[in-house]
Amino acid sequence: MVKVVLLAGLLLAATAVRAQDPIATDGDKYKVIFENDRVRVLEYRDKPGERTRQHRHPAFVLYALGPFKRTLTLTDGTVLTREFKAGDVLWSDAQTHIGSNIGDTPTDVIMVELKEEPPKK
């Protein structure tokens, strides 16, 4: 019985981790445009007022294709407000968040997610 409960818990945990992939949580907004064993390149688009479900990104670089303003709500409740102009670039360590478009323009970005773990210091 204990083995069955443990196995069920592991399966649920694995499903929860997979469910946090942005393609799974918000496939209407994220599109994979390139992927190999080192990186995954995503295009993300949304409209003013839209929001994502909670999801996770590994470390990534974001390139803004147009101007936008949004909030990111992190798992600890911290709310970050981000505003970008076309051509802005951002580096981010891995994070889990919910994103909300709070501006008057669509969000249109390219994200390059890294698949490698950062070097140990």
Side-chain angles (χ1 to χ4, degrees):
M1 178 66 173
V2 173
K3 288 182 182 179
V4 172
V5 172
L6 181 58
L7 181 58
L10 289 173
L11 289 173
L12 285 173
T15 302
V17 169
R18 250 183 281 135
Q20 287 190 351
D21 183 283
I23 297 299
T25 62
D26 296 284
D28 60 323
K29 297 173 183 66
Y30 283 96
K31 176 183 172 189
V32 176
I33 57 176
F34 176 82
E35 185 167 12
N36 66 20
D37 60 336
R38 308 275 308 268
V39 300
R40 179 169 75 165
V41 181
L42 303 173
E43 180 177 39
Y44 175 83
R45 293 180 183 206
D46 72 11
K47 297 176 184 156
E50 291 186 332
R51 112 186 214 143
T52 66
R53 293 175 186 86
Q54 183 171 292
H55 60 276
R56 178 170 173 68
H57 295 282
F60 66 91
V61 174
L62 178 145
Y63 179 77
L65 296 170
F68 64 92
K69 184 176 181 180
R70 65 191 300 104
T71 59
L72 299 176
T73 303
L74 306 179
T75 55
D76 67 0
T78 302
V79 178
L80 307 172
T81 301
R82 302 279 191 227
E83 194 161 357
F84 289 83
K85 299 180 303 260
D88 283 352
V89 178
L90 167 85
W91 161 263
S92 178
D93 289 324
Q95 65 177 244
T96 299
H97 62 246
I98 296 169
S100 299
N101 184 331
I102 61 168
D104 298 326
T105 60
T107 304
D108 193 2
V109 302
I110 300 294
M111 298 177 70
V112 179
E113 295 179 329
L114 305 180
K115 292 187 177 181
E116 295 179 347
E117 290 295 318
K120 304 259 190 255
K121 293 183 180 181

